[in-house]
């Protein structure tokens, strides 16, 4: 009897140990038609980049299946076929099923097995609509069919349409992964929701609170929390600056606030030398440009600035251009032949300057006069040219 009890205890212990050591996995499987011999990738979208987890060469029947360890808090993944993607989120041992065709992989797919995945699809399609609209505007701009003002207005309208859709998922029925996905969609290299916009900052705060309550140990929670705090600080500073008529907040060069009428900037140039806006603008009419070198419209925009610089540089015009570029290689390769001052903000779209200068879109252009006061927020390069011709 004692031997039987001892054997039973040993078996129970082994079962417990086996259960504890068993890894919980998620699975995504399905079928992609018209994709014979094409490679399908499973990728994870981490805070520090995109990582390939697995891949498969699709057989004639198009069937596939991937299995990976399930995360304890929401993480984001995507299926990639050539340059098309199907995004989804995983927060437990789930089994998702996807059916799609190779030609319209990113738009006509069906996904089941999780409410989160189906809602993320709705957001994904809304984001694709915005990207299509803005890509069309960029093409028109590059072909000189519309002005930079038309481009910026179109981008603003398209972003507003997306936000109206996304905020329903953030405020009305907030599911952590769905709200997060809606919040961090991008057009090109730009976040559609800006953490430094007064209205958008509320959306960041809501999602941060959801993650803090449900997943306090998740790296995404810490990232959201820090972003929300920075957002609140910048929005408050922006309001204070507006009330003080453009006096700089103490976080950025408060010692300059009584001498200049703008928030001073100090960032590294091509040679990693720190360059202040105030040093460039002192006693000169200056164009302050905020842009990114990793966009489709960069070449035409810089060509337009070159025209202004060639015309007015000998009359005293200066240009101080801030590139919101996380990728230093793209930025360096683009600015190395530009004759004016170029600096890079490695924080990219998360830069606090977005809030301090109330940038709703890029490119954005300001004119600073000789007295160190922002004279004009320019709507187009044509408007800048007309303004400068009257004064230089």
């Amino acid at each position: 009897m004692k031997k039987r009890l001892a054997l039973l205890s040993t078996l129970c212990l082994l079962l417990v140990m086996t259960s504890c050591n068993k890894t919980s996995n998620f699975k995504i499987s399905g079928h992609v038609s018209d994709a014979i011999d094409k490679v399908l990738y499973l990728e994870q979208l981490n805070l520090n980049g995109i990582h390939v987890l697995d891949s498969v060469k699709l057989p004639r029947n198009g069937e596939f299946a991937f299995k990976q360890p399930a995360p304890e808090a929401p993480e984001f993944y995507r299926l990639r076929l050539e340059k098309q993607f199907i995004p989804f989120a995983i927060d437990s041992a789930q089994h998702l099923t996807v059916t799609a065709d190779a030609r319209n992989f990113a738009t006509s797919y069906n996904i089941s097995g999780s409410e989160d995945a189906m809602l993320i699809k709705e957001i994904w399609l809304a984001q694709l609509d915005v990207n299509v609209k803005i890509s069309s505007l960029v093409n028109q701009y590059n072909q000189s069919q519309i002005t930079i003002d038309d481009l910026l207005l179109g981008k603003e309208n398209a972003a507003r349409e997306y936000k109206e859709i996304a905020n329903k998922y953030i405020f009305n029925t907030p599911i952590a992964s769905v709200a997060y996905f809606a919040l961090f969609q991008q057009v090109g290299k730009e976040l559609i929701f800006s953490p430094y916009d007064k209205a958008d900052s509320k959306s960041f705060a809501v999602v941060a609170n959801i993650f803090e309550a449900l997943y306090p140990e998740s790296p995404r929670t810490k990232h959201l929390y820090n972003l929300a705090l920075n957002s609140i600080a910048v929005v408050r500073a922006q309001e204070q600056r507006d009330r003080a008529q453009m006096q700089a907040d103490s976080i950025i060069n408060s010692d300059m606030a009584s001498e200049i009428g703008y928030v001073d900037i100090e960032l590294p140039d091509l040679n990693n030398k720190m360059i202040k806006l105030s040093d460039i603008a002192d006693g000169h009419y200056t164009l302050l440009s905020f842009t990114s070198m990793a966009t489709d419209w960069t070449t035409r925009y810089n060509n337009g600035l070159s025209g202004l610089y060639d015309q007015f540089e000998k009359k005293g015009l200066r240009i101080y251009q801030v590139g919101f570029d996380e990728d230093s290689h793209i930025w360096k390769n683009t600015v190395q032949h530009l004759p004016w001052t170029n600096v890079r903000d490695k924080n990219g779209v998360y830069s606090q300057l977005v809030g301090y200068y109330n940038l709703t879109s890029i490119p954005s252009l300001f004119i600073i006069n000789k007295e160190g006061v922002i004279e004009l927020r320019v709507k187009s390069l044509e408007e800048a040219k007309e303004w400068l011709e009257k004064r230089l």
Side-chain angles (χ1 to χ4, degrees):
M1 183 68 178
K2 290 181 178 179
K3 290 183 178 179
R4 290 180 179 178
L5 288 173
L7 179 60
L8 183 60
S9 298
T10 301
L11 289 172
C12 289
L13 181 60
L14 287 172
L15 284 171
V16 170
M17 291 175 64
T18 303
S19 175
C20 291
N21 291 331
K22 185 177 180 181
T23 302
S24 177
N25 294 316
F26 77 87
K27 182 178 180 182
I28 183 166
S29 60
H31 169 268
V32 183
S33 61
D34 300 321
I36 184 171
D37 291 336
K38 293 182 183 292
V39 179
L40 181 67
Y41 294 89
L42 173 64
E43 299 176 330
Q44 184 173 4
L45 285 68
N46 292 332
L47 288 172
N48 60 349
I50 300 169
H51 302 279
V52 176
L53 300 179
D54 204 349
S55 63
V56 63
K57 189 174 183 179
L58 292 168
R60 186 175 296 276
N61 63 13
E63 293 183 355
F64 70 91
F66 294 119
K67 184 186 291 185
Q68 290 289 323
E72 296 180 357
E75 282 298 330
F76 298 87
Y77 305 83
R78 69 185 187 185
L79 296 175
R80 173 167 63 88
L81 186 69
E82 296 177 332
K83 295 183 179 181
Q84 297 191 76
F85 312 102
I86 294 177
F88 59 95
I90 294 290
D91 61 7
S92 60
Q94 299 165 284
H95 183 186
L96 303 185
T97 303
V98 172
T99 57
D101 70 85
R103 288 169 295 180
N104 303 296
F105 185 74
T107 56
S108 64
Y109 66 93
N110 291 310
I111 189 165
S112 60
S114 144
E115 182 185 4
D116 300 27
M118 292 184 285
L119 294 176
I120 282 175
K121 178 186 176 182
E122 295 176 11
I123 298 167
W124 176 245
L125 294 179
Q127 177 269 146
L128 288 178
D129 285 342
V130 174
N131 271 279
V132 168
K133 290 177 182 177
I134 292 180
S135 292
S136 175
L137 289 168
V138 170
N139 288 335
Q140 293 177 61
Y141 172 70
N142 287 336
Q143 295 170 17
S144 302
Q145 295 175 0
I146 61 174
T147 66
I148 190 72
D149 191 24
D150 297 325
L151 172 61
L152 295 177
L153 180 61
K155 287 174 64 177
E156 186 177 333
N157 290 336
R160 183 172 59 250
E161 292 174 7
Y162 171 80
K163 290 177 186 179
E164 290 175 357
I165 296 171
N167 274 328
K168 294 177 182 178
Y169 297 95
I170 293 172
F171 288 97
N172 296 349
T173 54
I175 300 173
S177 60
V178 178
Y180 188 102
F181 185 82
L183 187 66
F184 282 96
Q185 291 307 294
Q186 298 185 11
V187 174
K189 297 291 184 179
E190 296 180 62
L191 283 173
I192 299 177
F193 280 90
S194 168
Y196 305 120
D197 176 83
K198 185 176 182 180
D200 292 354
S201 67
K202 297 176 183 177
S203 301
F204 279 90
V206 167
V207 179
N209 287 335
I210 295 171
F211 268 73
E212 177 67 27
L214 299 177
Y215 310 103
E217 302 303 318
S218 169
R220 294 187 184 274
T221 300
K222 183 178 180 180
H223 174 250
L224 269 168
Y225 185 74
N226 290 336
L227 198 57
L229 287 180
N230 286 336
S231 173
I232 293 169
V234 171
V235 168
R236 286 177 178 172
Q238 182 181 324
E239 292 173 344
Q240 292 171 1
R241 192 180 71 253
D242 290 343
R243 288 194 297 266
Q245 296 181 347
M246 298 299 292
Q247 288 187 354
D249 179 80
S250 60
I251 296 178
I252 300 182
N253 267 351
S254 61
D255 58 321
M256 296 293 294
S258 61
E259 300 175 24
I260 57 177
Y262 52 83
V263 176
D264 203 5
I265 302 169
E266 186 175 13
L267 289 168
D269 68 0
L270 192 60
N271 299 313
N272 210 35
K273 179 183 177 182
M274 301 301 292
I275 305 294
K276 285 185 178 181
L277 168 61
S278 55
D279 289 341
I280 301 300
D282 185 27
H284 296 277
Y285 283 110
T286 303
L287 292 180
L288 171 58
S289 171
F290 295 98
T291 186
S292 170
M293 300 304 166
T295 63
D296 295 334
W297 40 260
T298 294
T299 300
R300 189 185 172 208
Y301 178 70
N302 282 334
N303 286 343
L305 281 181
S306 292
L308 293 178
Y309 192 75
D310 290 344
Q311 182 175 352
F312 298 108
E313 186 266 338
K314 291 183 179 179
K315 297 180 179 180
L317 179 69
R318 300 289 182 265
I319 298 178
Y320 186 94
Q321 181 157 263
V322 178
F324 292 129
D325 292 283
E326 296 180 43
D327 190 322
S328 62
H329 299 291
I330 293 177
W331 178 79
K332 288 179 179 178
N333 288 336
T334 306
V335 307
Q336 60 182 335
H337 299 301
L338 299 178
W340 55 83
T341 302
N342 285 275
V343 295
R344 182 175 74 96
D345 191 326
K346 65 180 181 181
N347 294 312
V349 293
Y350 297 106
S351 169
Q352 290 188 349
L353 293 174
V354 173
Y356 283 110
Y357 278 89
N358 193 23
L359 306 178
T360 57
S361 186
I362 57 173
S364 286
L365 192 63
F366 299 82
I367 296 179
I368 300 173
N369 65 23
K370 291 182 177 181
E371 288 70 41
V373 175
I374 292 181
E375 190 85 22
L376 184 67
R377 183 169 190 154
V378 182
K379 295 180 180 179
S380 67
L381 295 173
E382 291 78 9
E383 181 183 9
K385 179 180 179 181
E386 292 176 4
W387 193 93
L388 291 168
E389 284 177 338
K390 295 177 181 178
R391 291 161 177 82
L392 291 176

